[in-house]
Amino acid sequence: QMWTGVHTEPLVGLSWVSAVDLVCSVSQDGSLAFWDSSTACGLTAALYLLPPQNEDGISLTSAHASENYLMVGTSQGQVMIYTWQQILEQTAETTTEITAGQVSSNSDRRSTANLIHHLEPAGSLWMGNEGFAVTSIGSTVVDNSNNPRPGSPPEVTYIATGDSQGTVKQWQLFPAQDGTRVDTWPKMESQRVSGMAHLFAHAPAVIPENERDYASSDANAIVDLQYLQNGKVLLTASSDTVVCWNTDSGRKSHSLEGFDNLHNVCLLPQPRYSAFCTNGMKNVLCIHDYDMSLIENEEEDDDFDVSDYLNFDN
């Protein structure tokens, strides 16, 4: 089944929203849509995440969905954070029914009655590298139940953001009591995340502003961010390199180089250890184990079976 009629530019994000059993898509043009495979046209609701008067020509360049939040990055280095609660409430109030004819018959999607609504974010942050797009976003929820500080939340959400220059930063997210707003920390370059690293220099060096070549900056762009081992490890990926970092110290623990046009990293959930796939070896799909000592021990075992390692259901 093919769904069309809302987005005018390529997609930057696609996810399944379990709370409403719908597929959510986000486009470079700032449009967000919900799709239902059981309806005739598929489209059930749509909103705009960018203002209708987009005089600066800002576009969305990345999107990431977690259980509670939708995070989108812009071409100007901003990350806008929305709660699924506010998105679903807005779509319920402003959209009752959308037909394919209503959308496709109007050349200006923003003037269509059900698409004119612009949703303000619940919170936002800036990467700090002006002129560089946010190319990847990741997040994790860490167990904080053993924190001895009074009033500490049982869980803490961390966000990782990467830009087209190869800079990666880590932030802590704080939901407001009323659930309508979120805040992030740190606010300034001189501030740090409590007990966690803030800056990860995936690229070899920071390019001085007067020497920046925006046309070739994509070579260092962060294409994927993944948290491993309950947030203790942050995996950053560019087109030719994958790096694993200690999120507490900010130090590099492993580096995998020599990829060719890598653009996707997929985690393989395992009960005992962390593994991930990469697609940057032309026609070869590579499987990597983060705990190298564990895989060495298994290779010495005569009963070692790769299907057991991957936990495939045959």
PDB file of all heavy atoms in Angstrom, residues 62-93:
ATOM      1  N   SER A  62      16.466  15.821  10.494  1.00  0.00           N
ATOM      2  CA  SER A  62      16.531  14.550  11.222  1.00  0.00           C
ATOM      3  C   SER A  62      15.332  14.441  12.142  1.00  0.00           C
ATOM      4  O   SER A  62      14.691  15.445  12.471  1.00  0.00           O
ATOM      5  CB  SER A  62      17.840  14.438  12.030  1.00  0.00           C
ATOM      6  OG  SER A  62      17.967  15.539  12.924  1.00  0.00           O
ATOM      7  N   ALA A  63      15.022  13.224  12.553  1.00  0.00           N
ATOM      8  CA  ALA A  63      13.925  12.994  13.487  1.00  0.00           C
ATOM      9  C   ALA A  63      14.201  11.724  14.279  1.00  0.00           C
ATOM     10  O   ALA A  63      14.815  10.783  13.770  1.00  0.00           O
ATOM     11  CB  ALA A  63      12.588  12.880  12.749  1.00  0.00           C
ATOM     12  N   HIS A  64      13.750  11.722  15.525  1.00  0.00           N
ATOM     13  CA  HIS A  64      13.939  10.555  16.395  1.00  0.00           C
ATOM     14  C   HIS A  64      12.728  10.429  17.299  1.00  0.00           C
ATOM     15  O   HIS A  64      12.274  11.407  17.902  1.00  0.00           O
ATOM     16  CB  HIS A  64      15.210  10.721  17.243  1.00  0.00           C
ATOM     17  CG  HIS A  64      15.340   9.702  18.336  1.00  0.00           C
ATOM     18  ND1 HIS A  64      15.677   8.383  18.103  1.00  0.00           N
ATOM     19  CD2 HIS A  64      15.162   9.805  19.684  1.00  0.00           C
ATOM     20  CE1 HIS A  64      15.724   7.719  19.242  1.00  0.00           C
ATOM     21  NE2 HIS A  64      15.407   8.556  20.217  1.00  0.00           N
ATOM     22  N   ALA A  65      12.187   9.228  17.385  1.00  0.00           N
ATOM     23  CA  ALA A  65      11.021   8.967  18.222  1.00  0.00           C
ATOM     24  C   ALA A  65      11.394   8.052  19.370  1.00  0.00           C
ATOM     25  O   ALA A  65      12.020   7.006  19.172  1.00  0.00           O
ATOM     26  CB  ALA A  65       9.907   8.332  17.396  1.00  0.00           C
ATOM     27  N   SER A  66      11.025   8.455  20.587  1.00  0.00           N
ATOM     28  CA  SER A  66      11.182   7.594  21.758  1.00  0.00           C
ATOM     29  C   SER A  66       9.792   7.284  22.287  1.00  0.00           C
ATOM     30  O   SER A  66       8.777   7.654  21.677  1.00  0.00           O
ATOM     31  CB  SER A  66      12.027   8.287  22.828  1.00  0.00           C
ATOM     32  OG  SER A  66      11.336   9.411  23.365  1.00  0.00           O
ATOM     33  N   GLU A  67       9.708   6.620  23.398  1.00  0.00           N
ATOM     34  CA  GLU A  67       8.404   6.232  23.936  1.00  0.00           C
ATOM     35  C   GLU A  67       7.553   7.445  24.283  1.00  0.00           C
ATOM     36  O   GLU A  67       6.332   7.440  24.098  1.00  0.00           O
ATOM     37  CB  GLU A  67       8.585   5.362  25.181  1.00  0.00           C
ATOM     38  CG  GLU A  67       7.266   4.863  25.773  1.00  0.00           C
ATOM     39  CD  GLU A  67       7.470   3.953  26.972  1.00  0.00           C
ATOM     40  OE1 GLU A  67       8.641   3.623  27.294  1.00  0.00           O
ATOM     41  OE2 GLU A  67       6.466   3.562  27.589  1.00  0.00           O
ATOM     42  N   ASN A  68       8.184   8.523  24.778  1.00  0.00           N
ATOM     43  CA  ASN A  68       7.442   9.685  25.248  1.00  0.00           C
ATOM     44  C   ASN A  68       7.610  10.934  24.395  1.00  0.00           C
ATOM     45  O   ASN A  68       6.827  11.879  24.529  1.00  0.00           O
ATOM     46  CB  ASN A  68       7.856  10.025  26.687  1.00  0.00           C
ATOM     47  CG  ASN A  68       7.538   8.917  27.660  1.00  0.00           C
ATOM     48  OD1 ASN A  68       6.456   8.341  27.635  1.00  0.00           O
ATOM     49  ND2 ASN A  68       8.489   8.593  28.531  1.00  0.00           N
ATOM     50  N   TYR A  69       8.632  10.964  23.526  1.00  0.00           N
ATOM     51  CA  TYR A  69       8.955  12.200  22.827  1.00  0.00           C
ATOM     52  C   TYR A  69       9.203  11.981  21.340  1.00  0.00           C
ATOM     53  O   TYR A  69       9.627  10.897  20.911  1.00  0.00           O
ATOM     54  CB  TYR A  69      10.212  12.843  23.439  1.00  0.00           C
ATOM     55  CG  TYR A  69      10.109  13.112  24.913  1.00  0.00           C
ATOM     56  CD1 TYR A  69      10.691  12.242  25.846  1.00  0.00           C
ATOM     57  CD2 TYR A  69       9.418  14.217  25.398  1.00  0.00           C
ATOM     58  CE1 TYR A  69      10.589  12.481  27.203  1.00  0.00           C
ATOM     59  CE2 TYR A  69       9.312  14.469  26.757  1.00  0.00           C
ATOM     60  CZ  TYR A  69       9.902  13.591  27.657  1.00  0.00           C
ATOM     61  OH  TYR A  69       9.798  13.829  28.992  1.00  0.00           O
ATOM     62  N   LEU A  70       8.941  13.039  20.576  1.00  0.00           N
ATOM     63  CA  LEU A  70       9.395  13.143  19.197  1.00  0.00           C
ATOM     64  C   LEU A  70      10.369  14.305  19.141  1.00  0.00           C
ATOM     65  O   LEU A  70      10.045  15.424  19.569  1.00  0.00           O
ATOM     66  CB  LEU A  70       8.222  13.393  18.249  1.00  0.00           C
ATOM     67  CG  LEU A  70       8.618  13.685  16.800  1.00  0.00           C
ATOM     68  CD1 LEU A  70       9.229  12.460  16.142  1.00  0.00           C
ATOM     69  CD2 LEU A  70       7.436  14.194  15.990  1.00  0.00           C
ATOM     70  N   MET A  71      11.569  14.055  18.615  1.00  0.00           N
ATOM     71  CA  MET A  71      12.601  15.074  18.526  1.00  0.00           C
ATOM     72  C   MET A  71      12.986  15.259  17.066  1.00  0.00           C
ATOM     73  O   MET A  71      13.250  14.284  16.370  1.00  0.00           O
ATOM     74  CB  MET A  71      13.829  14.662  19.349  1.00  0.00           C
ATOM     75  CG  MET A  71      13.498  14.223  20.759  1.00  0.00           C
ATOM     76  SD  MET A  71      14.866  13.395  21.582  1.00  0.00           S
ATOM     77  CE  MET A  71      13.994  12.540  22.891  1.00  0.00           C
ATOM     78  N   VAL A  72      13.008  16.508  16.606  1.00  0.00           N
ATOM     79  CA  VAL A  72      13.363  16.789  15.220  1.00  0.00           C
ATOM     80  C   VAL A  72      14.483  17.812  15.185  1.00  0.00           C
ATOM     81  O   VAL A  72      14.503  18.762  15.980  1.00  0.00           O
ATOM     82  CB  VAL A  72      12.145  17.295  14.410  1.00  0.00           C
ATOM     83  CG1 VAL A  72      11.075  16.225  14.318  1.00  0.00           C
ATOM     84  CG2 VAL A  72      11.568  18.570  15.011  1.00  0.00           C
ATOM     85  N   GLY A  73      15.430  17.621  14.265  1.00  0.00           N
ATOM     86  CA  GLY A  73      16.542  18.550  14.098  1.00  0.00           C
ATOM     87  C   GLY A  73      16.345  19.400  12.859  1.00  0.00           C
ATOM     88  O   GLY A  73      15.732  18.963  11.879  1.00  0.00           O
ATOM     89  N   THR A  74      16.880  20.620  12.881  1.00  0.00           N
ATOM     90  CA  THR A  74      16.697  21.541  11.769  1.00  0.00           C
ATOM     91  C   THR A  74      18.023  21.832  11.073  1.00  0.00           C
ATOM     92  O   THR A  74      19.105  21.526  11.576  1.00  0.00           O
ATOM     93  CB  THR A  74      16.096  22.879  12.242  1.00  0.00           C
ATOM     94  OG1 THR A  74      17.113  23.637  12.927  1.00  0.00           O
ATOM     95  CG2 THR A  74      14.921  22.643  13.174  1.00  0.00           C
ATOM     96  N   SER A  75      17.910  22.471   9.911  1.00  0.00           N
ATOM     97  CA  SER A  75      19.084  22.846   9.125  1.00  0.00           C
ATOM     98  C   SER A  75      19.875  23.968   9.773  1.00  0.00           C
ATOM     99  O   SER A  75      20.989  24.264   9.351  1.00  0.00           O
ATOM    100  CB  SER A  75      18.642  23.271   7.718  1.00  0.00           C
ATOM    101  OG  SER A  75      17.664  24.305   7.788  1.00  0.00           O
ATOM    102  N   GLN A  76      19.319  24.607  10.805  1.00  0.00           N
ATOM    103  CA  GLN A  76      20.002  25.697  11.502  1.00  0.00           C
ATOM    104  C   GLN A  76      20.620  25.275  12.825  1.00  0.00           C
ATOM    105  O   GLN A  76      21.093  26.110  13.583  1.00  0.00           O
ATOM    106  CB  GLN A  76      19.018  26.854  11.744  1.00  0.00           C
ATOM    107  CG  GLN A  76      18.482  27.477  10.459  1.00  0.00           C
ATOM    108  CD  GLN A  76      19.583  28.102   9.625  1.00  0.00           C
ATOM    109  OE1 GLN A  76      20.412  28.844  10.138  1.00  0.00           O
ATOM    110  NE2 GLN A  76      19.605  27.790   8.333  1.00  0.00           N
ATOM    111  N   GLY A  77      20.604  23.981  13.129  1.00  0.00           N
ATOM    112  CA  GLY A  77      21.257  23.504  14.353  1.00  0.00           C
ATOM    113  C   GLY A  77      20.380  23.450  15.584  1.00  0.00           C
ATOM    114  O   GLY A  77      20.883  23.291  16.690  1.00  0.00           O
ATOM    115  N   GLN A  78      19.080  23.542  15.408  1.00  0.00           N
ATOM    116  CA  GLN A  78      18.152  23.475  16.537  1.00  0.00           C
ATOM    117  C   GLN A  78      17.513  22.102  16.619  1.00  0.00           C
ATOM    118  O   GLN A  78      17.265  21.457  15.600  1.00  0.00           O
ATOM    119  CB  GLN A  78      17.060  24.539  16.402  1.00  0.00           C
ATOM    120  CG  GLN A  78      16.091  24.600  17.575  1.00  0.00           C
ATOM    121  CD  GLN A  78      14.962  25.590  17.364  1.00  0.00           C
ATOM    122  OE1 GLN A  78      14.694  26.013  16.243  1.00  0.00           O
ATOM    123  NE2 GLN A  78      14.290  25.977  18.440  1.00  0.00           N
ATOM    124  N   VAL A  79      17.251  21.652  17.843  1.00  0.00           N
ATOM    125  CA  VAL A  79      16.488  20.429  18.080  1.00  0.00           C
ATOM    126  C   VAL A  79      15.204  20.824  18.792  1.00  0.00           C
ATOM    127  O   VAL A  79      15.243  21.437  19.865  1.00  0.00           O
ATOM    128  CB  VAL A  79      17.276  19.408  18.929  1.00  0.00           C
ATOM    129  CG1 VAL A  79      16.412  18.197  19.236  1.00  0.00           C
ATOM    130  CG2 VAL A  79      18.546  18.990  18.212  1.00  0.00           C
ATOM    131  N   MET A  80      14.070  20.492  18.185  1.00  0.00           N
ATOM    132  CA  MET A  80      12.767  20.781  18.781  1.00  0.00           C
ATOM    133  C   MET A  80      12.193  19.488  19.356  1.00  0.00           C
ATOM    134  O   MET A  80      12.226  18.447  18.700  1.00  0.00           O
ATOM    135  CB  MET A  80      11.830  21.382  17.739  1.00  0.00           C
ATOM    136  CG  MET A  80      12.325  22.699  17.165  1.00  0.00           C
ATOM    137  SD  MET A  80      11.154  23.493  16.034  1.00  0.00           S
ATOM    138  CE  MET A  80      11.169  22.349  14.651  1.00  0.00           C
ATOM    139  N   ILE A  81      11.679  19.573  20.571  1.00  0.00           N
ATOM    140  CA  ILE A  81      11.210  18.397  21.304  1.00  0.00           C
ATOM    141  C   ILE A  81       9.711  18.512  21.544  1.00  0.00           C
ATOM    142  O   ILE A  81       9.225  19.535  22.040  1.00  0.00           O
ATOM    143  CB  ILE A  81      11.952  18.255  22.643  1.00  0.00           C
ATOM    144  CG1 ILE A  81      13.470  18.257  22.421  1.00  0.00           C
ATOM    145  CG2 ILE A  81      11.521  16.998  23.381  1.00  0.00           C
ATOM    146  CD1 ILE A  81      14.271  18.375  23.693  1.00  0.00           C
ATOM    147  N   TYR A  82       8.990  17.471  21.175  1.00  0.00           N
ATOM    148  CA  TYR A  82       7.540  17.413  21.361  1.00  0.00           C
ATOM    149  C   TYR A  82       7.210  16.181  22.193  1.00  0.00           C
ATOM    150  O   TYR A  82       7.861  15.147  22.072  1.00  0.00           O
ATOM    151  CB  TYR A  82       6.807  17.313  20.025  1.00  0.00           C
ATOM    152  CG  TYR A  82       7.126  18.421  19.051  1.00  0.00           C
ATOM    153  CD1 TYR A  82       8.258  18.347  18.240  1.00  0.00           C
ATOM    154  CD2 TYR A  82       6.299  19.533  18.938  1.00  0.00           C
ATOM    155  CE1 TYR A  82       8.560  19.362  17.343  1.00  0.00           C
ATOM    156  CE2 TYR A  82       6.593  20.552  18.038  1.00  0.00           C
ATOM    157  CZ  TYR A  82       7.727  20.463  17.245  1.00  0.00           C
ATOM    158  OH  TYR A  82       8.026  21.466  16.370  1.00  0.00           O
ATOM    159  N   THR A  83       6.190  16.295  23.029  1.00  0.00           N
ATOM    160  CA  THR A  83       5.685  15.111  23.715  1.00  0.00           C
ATOM    161  C   THR A  83       4.599  14.485  22.843  1.00  0.00           C
ATOM    162  O   THR A  83       3.846  15.198  22.157  1.00  0.00           O
ATOM    163  CB  THR A  83       5.102  15.453  25.097  1.00  0.00           C
ATOM    164  OG1 THR A  83       3.919  16.237  24.931  1.00  0.00           O
ATOM    165  CG2 THR A  83       6.112  16.241  25.925  1.00  0.00           C
ATOM    166  N   TRP A  84       4.525  13.163  22.868  1.00  0.00           N
ATOM    167  CA  TRP A  84       3.466  12.502  22.100  1.00  0.00           C
ATOM    168  C   TRP A  84       2.100  12.940  22.618  1.00  0.00           C
ATOM    169  O   TRP A  84       1.130  13.020  21.859  1.00  0.00           O
ATOM    170  CB  TRP A  84       3.612  10.992  22.189  1.00  0.00           C
ATOM    171  CG  TRP A  84       4.734  10.450  21.368  1.00  0.00           C
ATOM    172  CD1 TRP A  84       5.844   9.788  21.802  1.00  0.00           C
ATOM    173  CD2 TRP A  84       4.864  10.525  19.935  1.00  0.00           C
ATOM    174  NE1 TRP A  84       6.660   9.455  20.745  1.00  0.00           N
ATOM    175  CE2 TRP A  84       6.078   9.903  19.582  1.00  0.00           C
ATOM    176  CE3 TRP A  84       4.075  11.073  18.926  1.00  0.00           C
ATOM    177  CZ2 TRP A  84       6.514   9.791  18.276  1.00  0.00           C
ATOM    178  CZ3 TRP A  84       4.507  10.983  17.619  1.00  0.00           C
ATOM    179  CH2 TRP A  84       5.705  10.346  17.289  1.00  0.00           C
ATOM    180  N   GLN A  85       2.033  13.257  23.910  1.00  0.00           N
ATOM    181  CA  GLN A  85       0.761  13.705  24.485  1.00  0.00           C
ATOM    182  C   GLN A  85       0.270  14.974  23.799  1.00  0.00           C
ATOM    183  O   GLN A  85      -0.894  15.062  23.391  1.00  0.00           O
ATOM    184  CB  GLN A  85       0.928  13.950  25.990  1.00  0.00           C
ATOM    185  CG  GLN A  85      -0.331  14.475  26.678  1.00  0.00           C
ATOM    186  CD  GLN A  85      -0.107  14.768  28.155  1.00  0.00           C
ATOM    187  OE1 GLN A  85       0.872  14.354  28.735  1.00  0.00           O
ATOM    188  NE2 GLN A  85      -1.030  15.504  28.744  1.00  0.00           N
ATOM    189  N   GLN A  86       1.145  15.973  23.633  1.00  0.00           N
ATOM    190  CA  GLN A  86       0.713  17.219  23.009  1.00  0.00           C
ATOM    191  C   GLN A  86       0.410  17.035  21.523  1.00  0.00           C
ATOM    192  O   GLN A  86      -0.511  17.647  20.985  1.00  0.00           O
ATOM    193  CB  GLN A  86       1.770  18.318  23.196  1.00  0.00           C
ATOM    194  CG  GLN A  86       3.020  18.117  22.362  1.00  0.00           C
ATOM    195  CD  GLN A  86       3.970  19.293  22.415  1.00  0.00           C
ATOM    196  OE1 GLN A  86       5.164  19.106  22.597  1.00  0.00           O
ATOM    197  NE2 GLN A  86       3.479  20.500  22.232  1.00  0.00           N
ATOM    198  N   ILE A  87       1.173  16.181  20.855  1.00  0.00           N
ATOM    199  CA  ILE A  87       0.911  15.934  19.433  1.00  0.00           C
ATOM    200  C   ILE A  87      -0.447  15.281  19.243  1.00  0.00           C
ATOM    201  O   ILE A  87      -1.251  15.693  18.401  1.00  0.00           O
ATOM    202  CB  ILE A  87       2.022  15.053  18.828  1.00  0.00           C
ATOM    203  CG1 ILE A  87       3.346  15.824  18.785  1.00  0.00           C
ATOM    204  CG2 ILE A  87       1.635  14.585  17.438  1.00  0.00           C
ATOM    205  CD1 ILE A  87       4.518  14.988  18.310  1.00  0.00           C
ATOM    206  N   LEU A  88      -0.745  14.268  20.054  1.00  0.00           N
ATOM    207  CA  LEU A  88      -2.014  13.551  19.913  1.00  0.00           C
ATOM    208  C   LEU A  88      -3.192  14.418  20.323  1.00  0.00           C
ATOM    209  O   LEU A  88      -4.271  14.346  19.716  1.00  0.00           O
ATOM    210  CB  LEU A  88      -1.978  12.266  20.733  1.00  0.00           C
ATOM    211  CG  LEU A  88      -0.918  11.239  20.292  1.00  0.00           C
ATOM    212  CD1 LEU A  88      -0.887  10.053  21.245  1.00  0.00           C
ATOM    213  CD2 LEU A  88      -1.167  10.783  18.869  1.00  0.00           C
ATOM    214  N   GLU A  89      -2.992  15.265  21.345  1.00  0.00           N
ATOM    215  CA  GLU A  89      -4.078  16.168  21.739  1.00  0.00           C
ATOM    216  C   GLU A  89      -4.366  17.181  20.643  1.00  0.00           C
ATOM    217  O   GLU A  89      -5.526  17.502  20.364  1.00  0.00           O
ATOM    218  CB  GLU A  89      -3.713  16.892  23.048  1.00  0.00           C
ATOM    219  CG  GLU A  89      -3.769  16.000  24.272  1.00  0.00           C
ATOM    220  CD  GLU A  89      -3.347  16.728  25.531  1.00  0.00           C
ATOM    221  OE1 GLU A  89      -2.900  17.896  25.407  1.00  0.00           O
ATOM    222  OE2 GLU A  89      -3.464  16.154  26.627  1.00  0.00           O
ATOM    223  N   GLN A  90      -3.319  17.691  20.009  1.00  0.00           N
ATOM    224  CA  GLN A  90      -3.507  18.674  18.949  1.00  0.00           C
ATOM    225  C   GLN A  90      -4.207  18.064  17.732  1.00  0.00           C
ATOM    226  O   GLN A  90      -5.107  18.663  17.155  1.00  0.00           O
ATOM    227  CB  GLN A  90      -2.157  19.252  18.527  1.00  0.00           C
ATOM    228  CG  GLN A  90      -2.218  20.309  17.438  1.00  0.00           C
ATOM    229  CD  GLN A  90      -2.770  21.627  17.950  1.00  0.00           C
ATOM    230  OE1 GLN A  90      -2.969  21.787  19.158  1.00  0.00           O
ATOM    231  NE2 GLN A  90      -3.028  22.567  17.052  1.00  0.00           N
ATOM    232  N   THR A  91      -3.789  16.870  17.363  1.00  0.00           N
ATOM    233  CA  THR A  91      -4.422  16.232  16.205  1.00  0.00           C
ATOM    234  C   THR A  91      -5.875  15.871  16.501  1.00  0.00           C
ATOM    235  O   THR A  91      -6.736  15.936  15.626  1.00  0.00           O
ATOM    236  CB  THR A  91      -3.654  14.969  15.786  1.00  0.00           C
ATOM    237  OG1 THR A  91      -3.540  14.074  16.905  1.00  0.00           O
ATOM    238  CG2 THR A  91      -2.261  15.320  15.289  1.00  0.00           C
ATOM    239  N   ALA A  92      -6.167  15.512  17.747  1.00  0.00           N
ATOM    240  CA  ALA A  92      -7.545  15.172  18.105  1.00  0.00           C
ATOM    241  C   ALA A  92      -8.443  16.397  18.055  1.00  0.00           C
ATOM    242  O   ALA A  92      -9.615  16.318  17.676  1.00  0.00           O
ATOM    243  CB  ALA A  92      -7.584  14.559  19.500  1.00  0.00           C
ATOM    244  N   GLU A  93      -7.907  17.578  18.410  1.00  0.00           N
ATOM    245  CA  GLU A  93      -8.698  18.795  18.438  1.00  0.00           C
ATOM    246  C   GLU A  93      -8.918  19.382  17.053  1.00  0.00           C
ATOM    247  O   GLU A  93      -9.965  19.960  16.766  1.00  0.00           O
ATOM    248  CB  GLU A  93      -8.010  19.841  19.322  1.00  0.00           C
ATOM    249  CG  GLU A  93      -7.994  19.494  20.797  1.00  0.00           C
ATOM    250  CD  GLU A  93      -7.196  20.500  21.609  1.00  0.00           C
ATOM    251  OE1 GLU A  93      -6.701  21.476  20.989  1.00  0.00           O
ATOM    252  OE2 GLU A  93      -7.075  20.329  22.824  1.00  0.00           O
TER     253      GLU A  93
END
